[in-house]
Amino acid sequence: MSKLSRRKFVFTAGATAAATFLIHGCTSSTETTEGNAESGSTTESTAQPVANLSPEETPEVTTAKLGFIALTDAAPLVIASEKGLFAKYGMTDVEVLKQASWPVTRDNIELGSAGDGIDGAHILSPMPYLMTLGTITKQPVPMYILARLNVNGQGISVSEDYLETKVGLDSSKMKDVFAKAKAENKELSAAMTFPGGTHDLWMRYWLAAGGVDPENDISVVPVPPPQMVANMKIGAMETFCVGEPWNAQLVNQEQGYTALVTGEIWKNHPEKALAMRADWVDKNPKAAKALTKAVLEAQQWCDKPENQQEMCEIVSQDKWFKVPVEDIIGRIQGKINYGDGRTVDNPDISMKFWQDNASYPYKSHDLWFLTEDIRWGYIPADTDTKTLVDKVNRSDIWKEAAKAIKVADAEIPKTDSRGVETFFDGVKFDPENPQAYLDSLKIKKA
């Protein structure tokens, strides 16, 4: 990744692990990081456990430990816990545990619940692949993706210092700003949440599309999602990419503005995933299916407009996100105040949990993530990406779970590819020829 900035970053309680990660840069961690995990104990359930589960449905175990980061796209795990959906499918002792950062999530998955870690998590979609390859862990940790948790719902925000630039989808307006700072030996930072993760890739795509080289023109650095606003306040960064509610909170606190929401870069782009250790799933296939059924049902619930207010009130609680409801609700509804005078009301570019096949883990999308990770040097150029995707992406488990909860056939994709994808700058990604896409990009490391 780009050279790390020497500017000071502030990390509040629980973010020490991420601070360590920032200091040591983007090399694979060889240190075990303790999670600042607090249990998401459930409130009164609205779902009842299924009576008389058949032997085919009865899970091998009733417990699982799942991690989450305080981001709106973790809502399906929170709702599955709060609404008793895990218990409904026989998983009566599931713990949903708060993690301080993505490095903490990674380290706790590597430990596994047997080592006082976790079995799976709400996670950045590329991370299960990086863990399976062993590029970000002490040794390869085989993972399975069981579902996509959402599409859209992230943002790229810019410091109030640059309000006059009116930078939006076109990042080229920042090119002169960065060049001037570089000439004056000033270090500027663009923050994302984890090297090679979704936010890193959105930030890099946006910058490169405008002619800004994220490897040389600005330092791209990792900062935990809940620490983004605090760091923008002290001037530690020029721009950041993160999931909600942190972009909205920045605007509400008048510390910066949203240049774009990521649904504008790529409409209905894939984002987080529900991923589990492969050994846990292989040992407990019925339990894995039960967890997937609960999460799919939670995603359906979250996407109903009549449930949005309640969902935001639940996840805003201190034990979950510890964020005001008003920082969450607007963008969930597609009502976006960019903070620079622009406002839109467009649910189609907002976070979706179920509609438009948001939950289905398309393999073609994972192939794009891996191609971008090759682009920026996170994985070797000769990686057999198709074989890797087939190994990690368990769309078969998703389909089994969907059929078990009686999802209509019309809502179950018939293919693992969503076809050719088109980005805001006109660039196309054909999953049948990822090399052609990579060759067409002007700014890249590989």
Side-chain angles (χ1 to χ4, degrees), residues 192-262:
M192 47 74 185
T193 63
F194 192 88
T198 55
H199 303 120
D200 185 25
L201 301 182
W202 308 138
M203 175 63 78
R204 288 171 178 272
Y205 193 98
W206 175 65
L207 291 173
V212 179
D213 186 346
E215 287 293 313
N216 296 296
D217 296 339
I218 188 169
S219 294
V220 181
V221 297
V223 173
Q227 312 304 321
M228 290 292 190
V229 176
N231 277 287
M232 189 74 91
K233 282 182 181 179
I234 65 166
M237 60 183 70
E238 279 57 53
T239 178
F240 65 63
C241 182
V242 72
E244 297 301 342
W246 307 111
N247 299 283
Q249 186 175 94
L250 184 78
V251 170
N252 291 343
Q253 294 185 9
E254 300 182 347
Q255 297 295 321
Y257 69 98
T258 298
L260 58 99
V261 294
T262 50

Side-chain angles (χ1 to χ4, degrees), residues 430-442:
D430 183 352
E432 295 300 316
N433 192 357
Q435 188 61 47
Y437 164 83
L438 193 57
D439 291 343
S440 74
L441 302 169
K442 294 179 181 178

Side-chain angles (χ1 to χ4, degrees), residues 309-321:
Q309 180 68 36
E310 183 184 355
M311 183 195 81
C312 293
E313 289 174 356
I314 290 171
V315 300
S316 72
Q317 296 173 40
D318 286 0
K319 67 180 178 179
W320 299 117
F321 296 178

Side-chain angles (χ1 to χ4, degrees), residues 106-335:
R106 170 204 60 199
D107 289 350
N108 280 330
I109 291 175
E110 186 169 9
L111 287 171
S113 59
D116 205 24
I118 56 180
D119 303 303
H122 151 254
I123 202 167
L124 300 167
S125 285
M127 285 182 68
Y129 290 98
L130 300 177
M131 294 179 72
T132 298
L133 289 171
T135 61
I136 60 171
T137 46
K138 298 186 197 114
Q139 61 274 319
V141 180
M143 297 288 294
Y144 290 152
I145 288 175
L146 305 184
R148 198 80 64 203
L149 289 178
N150 66 299
V151 300
N152 299 336
Q154 320 302 296
I156 294 179
S157 291
V158 180
S159 165
E160 61 180 350
D161 294 343
Y162 302 104
L163 192 57
E164 291 184 1
T165 67
K166 299 187 183 300
V167 64
L169 267 173
D170 182 6
S171 67
S172 66
K173 295 179 180 180
M174 297 296 283
K175 193 170 183 178
D176 290 342
V177 173
F178 299 154
K180 182 180 177 182
K182 192 173 183 179
E184 296 172 354
N185 291 319
K186 293 180 181 177
E187 291 197 43
L188 303 184
S189 300
M192 47 74 185
T193 63
F194 192 88
T198 55
H199 303 120
D200 185 25
L201 301 182
W202 308 138
M203 175 63 78
R204 288 171 178 272
Y205 193 98
W206 175 65
L207 291 173
V212 179
D213 186 346
E215 287 293 313
N216 296 296
D217 296 339
I218 188 169
S219 294
V220 181
V221 297
V223 173
Q227 312 304 321
M228 290 292 190
V229 176
N231 277 287
M232 189 74 91
K233 282 182 181 179
I234 65 166
M237 60 183 70
E238 279 57 53
T239 178
F240 65 63
C241 182
V242 72
E244 297 301 342
W246 307 111
N247 299 283
Q249 186 175 94
L250 184 78
V251 170
N252 291 343
Q253 294 185 9
E254 300 182 347
Q255 297 295 321
Y257 69 98
T258 298
L260 58 99
V261 294
T262 50
E264 296 171 290
I265 290 181
W266 174 12
K267 184 181 175 182
N268 290 338
H269 69 77
E271 194 30 61
K272 305 300 186 301
L274 168 64
M276 303 283 293
R277 287 179 58 109
D279 57 3
W280 192 95
V281 175
D282 291 341
K283 185 178 179 181
N284 307 295
K286 291 187 285 186
K289 182 177 173 181
L291 291 173
T292 307
K293 289 191 286 186
V295 170
L296 265 57
E297 187 169 329
Q299 289 179 279
Q300 293 175 317
W301 186 93
C302 288
D303 242 12
K304 293 179 180 177
E306 63 268 26
N307 294 332
Q308 288 175 339
Q309 180 68 36
E310 183 184 355
M311 183 195 81
C312 293
E313 289 174 356
I314 290 171
V315 300
S316 72
Q317 296 173 40
D318 286 0
K319 67 180 178 179
W320 299 117
F321 296 178
K322 200 175 183 180
V323 171
V325 172
E326 54 267 27
D327 287 348
I328 309 172
I329 186 67
R331 296 196 179 197
I332 275 290
Q333 297 173 332
K335 297 173 182 175

Side-chain angles (χ1 to χ4, degrees), residues 331-382:
R331 296 196 179 197
I332 275 290
Q333 297 173 332
K335 297 173 182 175
I336 302 165
N337 171 13
Y338 289 79
D340 61 357
R342 293 177 294 153
T343 59
V344 300
D345 187 350
N346 184 2
D348 205 29
I349 59 172
S350 65
M351 188 177 295
K352 301 172 187 176
F353 299 102
W354 184 260
Q355 62 179 303
D356 294 328
N357 295 326
S359 174
Y360 188 73
Y362 283 103
K363 292 185 177 182
S364 60
H365 289 164
D366 287 349
L367 190 58
W368 180 83
F369 286 129
L370 291 175
T371 304
E372 282 288 303
D373 277 340
I374 289 173
R375 176 187 186 183
W376 299 115
Y378 291 120
I379 61 175
D382 61 356

